Amino acid sequence: MTFGVTGRLARVAMVAALGLAMPMLAHAEKKYGPGVTDDEILIGQTMPYSGPASAYGTIGRAAAAYFRKLNDEGGINGRKINLISLDDGYSPPKTLEQIRKLVERERVFAIYNPLGTAPNAAIYEYLNKRGVPHLFISSGSGRFNDPVNFPWTMPWLPTYHAEGFSIGEYLLRAKPDGKIAILYQNDDIGRDYVAGIREALGDAADRMIIATESYEVTDTTIDSAVVNLKSSGADVFANLGVPKFAAQAIRRADELGWKPFQYLGSIGSSIAATLKPAGLDKSVGIVTGAYIRDPFSAETQATQGYKDFIVFMEKYYPDGDVKDQNNLIGYSIAQTFEQVIRQAGDNLTRENVMKEAANLKDLVLPMVQPGLIINTGPNDYLPLDRTRLMRFNGERWEPLEG
């Protein structure tokens, strides 16, 4: 009798112990989504390697190089990152075609850092309907920070609206009687910039903004637009173009003898891609909003982070320009993705990766502007929420205030 009771109790104790162990085993169990194995994480991307925004294609090349570096070091938690990066020519229909190929044919785990507001607008509903992570996109459009309606889409850049608001605030302080002319891209990028400037100017907006001109990304030149803006009598020029058109505008303004206070949108602020083609001497005094360090700056070059970046570029992307800020952007976004995958561990489901992407806490990246720290949450996906005003001194960007 005693034996029977003891045996039964022992069996109950064993079942209880197994019951406690099962959740622990389940928690430790590897969980994978499509495109993930014990050895690999397959991700996809589109980039404008050709077309009017091809200057940004180096962002994709820098990221691919960073993933090669990680893979040479053993990958992340033993898994190598396999990035399939396709050219979309900055054409939204082509972007959708390429994304469908990546999701339906290649069965990638996630779409990583596709570039452009219009290209991303063409794919984010598709990706959200299918529950595919659409992570760290290169667009500052506020529409992409909408966790309630589009929980699978997460931006990385500060918003164009926030940047526009920042320059509007500055103009109210520094140029309260200024007459503003604006050149902007005729899409969400330009409209968000202009809306931010107007919001910051408030009641003064209609008085201060005296001329606007837009361009299409397919245009070959914006010369006539700059002539019109100069003719308005404006003494402040908000040059909100991508590198090709921003450089044209700087050159044309100089040729016309127009010397306004000039603000250059962050989308066109690369010294290598914009200011050098425009002419460094023609760019002195231009102000921008920066979220990435300036590789021409002695302050940047003195950091260990920049020295590590140089070593990385020399080994993994020797054809890339170490002074092109776009390469620092690609490098920094890849580091953000790396952090998310490390946090996810062996729970590499699409749902968990989005959860971890929305759980970045006080992430400091070496090539992001000092003082700008990455934080995300389930109700606000935006990793970076502001820029730092900088002025070009003929050689490098330097802080405008503070």
Side-chain angles (χ1 to χ4, degrees):
M1 177 69 69
T2 304
F3 177 79
V5 172
T6 303
R8 184 165 58 86
L9 290 174
R11 287 193 298 273
V12 170
M14 183 178 294
V15 170
L18 286 172
L20 290 172
M22 287 296 285
M24 296 176 65
L25 290 171
H27 180 72
E29 182 184 356
K30 295 178 181 179
K31 296 181 180 179
Y32 296 160
V36 180
T37 68
D38 284 346
D39 304 314
E40 180 184 78
I41 301 171
L42 180 65
I43 58 176
Q45 175 189 65
T46 56
M47 274 281 150
Y49 294 117
S50 63
S54 59
Y56 294 129
T58 196
I59 293 175
R61 295 186 182 97
Y66 187 79
F67 293 142
R68 287 196 297 274
K69 170 185 176 292
L70 285 180
N71 293 344
D72 282 354
E73 295 168 350
I76 304 175
N77 300 326
R79 298 178 188 87
K80 295 188 176 182
I81 304 297
N82 183 356
L83 172 65
I84 303 175
S85 188
L86 303 179
D87 183 20
D88 67 0
Y90 204 72
S91 167
K94 184 66 173 179
T95 306
L96 181 57
E97 175 189 336
Q98 299 285 48
I99 291 296
R100 289 178 64 96
K101 182 188 302 181
L102 290 166
V103 171
E104 297 172 22
R105 185 187 304 174
E106 302 293 345
R107 290 186 57 77
V108 297
F109 175 63
I111 296 299
Y112 162 81
N113 185 228
L115 186 139
T117 296
N120 276 289
I123 62 176
Y124 79 134
E125 290 188 3
Y126 168 83
L127 293 171
N128 275 266
K129 286 178 181 177
R130 286 157 182 78
V132 179
H134 181 204
L135 276 174
F136 303 137
I137 67 177
S138 283
S139 169
S141 174
R143 72 157 76 181
F144 299 124
N145 182 26
D146 186 1
V148 173
N149 296 304
F150 297 96
W152 297 93
T153 294
M154 182 174 288
W156 193 87
L157 310 183
T159 67
Y160 306 128
H161 185 279
E163 185 185 344
F165 192 91
S166 177
I167 188 58
E169 283 186 317
Y170 175 76
L171 292 175
L172 273 180
R173 296 193 308 271
K175 303 280 185 181
D177 297 320
K179 294 175 288 185
I180 304 169
I182 302 176
L183 175 71
Y184 67 96
Q185 191 160 293
N186 187 28
D187 59 12
D188 283 355
I189 297 174
R191 288 187 285 271
D192 281 359
Y193 265 129
V194 174
I197 294 171
R198 281 191 166 276
E199 184 177 328
L201 295 178
D203 293 341
D206 289 339
R207 170 178 60 83
M208 294 181 69
I209 299 174
I210 65 170
T212 61
E213 289 281 341
S214 66
Y215 70 85
E216 303 294 334
V217 72
T218 53
D219 289 347
T220 56
T221 179
I222 43 80
D223 281 2
S224 62
V226 178
V227 170
N228 292 339
L229 294 173
K230 190 258 185 183
S231 298
S232 72
D235 57 7
V236 175
F237 177 29
N239 179 358
L240 308 177
V242 295
K244 170 184 173 180
F245 298 110
Q248 286 185 17
I250 293 168
R251 285 199 307 270
R252 188 61 176 144
D254 182 78
E255 290 166 359
L256 293 170
W258 186 30
K259 303 293 183 182
F261 169 87
Q262 187 169 170
Y263 178 81
L264 183 63
S266 65
I267 60 172
S269 64
S270 169
I271 294 175
T274 301
L275 302 190
K276 276 192 171 182
L280 297 182
D281 58 320
K282 300 175 178 62
S283 305
V284 174
I286 289 177
V287 170
T288 194
Y291 53 89
I292 288 292
R293 283 182 179 269
D294 174 17
F296 288 83
S297 158
E299 177 190 26
T300 297
Q301 293 171 6
T303 66
Q304 185 59 49
Y306 185 72
K307 293 172 185 177
D308 293 342
F309 172 75
I310 293 296
V311 171
F312 152 75
M313 289 289 287
E314 288 175 348
K315 182 173 183 180
Y316 290 98
Y317 188 14
D319 294 335
D321 184 350
V322 297
K323 296 296 180 65
D324 187 342
Q325 283 177 304
N326 288 315
N327 287 323
L328 278 68
I329 292 172
Y331 180 81
S332 298
I333 298 176
Q335 289 179 322
T336 312
F337 183 77
E338 175 191 3
Q339 178 63 29
V340 170
I341 298 301
R342 290 196 186 281
Q343 288 180 198
D346 287 331
N347 187 356
L348 288 168
T349 63
R350 286 170 166 172
E351 292 80 5
N352 190 55
V353 162
M354 288 306 302
K355 179 181 176 182
E356 294 300 340
N359 187 35
L360 294 171
K361 304 299 182 188
D362 298 329
L363 178 62
V364 177
L365 297 179
M367 291 298 99
V368 168
Q369 278 285 335
L372 302 189
I373 300 171
I374 289 178
N375 282 286
T376 57
N379 300 315
D380 186 358
Y381 278 1
L382 194 64
L384 294 170
D385 61 2
R386 59 192 175 94
T387 57
R388 186 184 185 195
L389 288 177
M390 311 287 283
R391 178 189 282 119
F392 187 65
N393 68 7
E395 296 181 354
R396 65 186 67 88
W397 294 107
E398 57 187 8
L400 180 63
E401 298 177 318

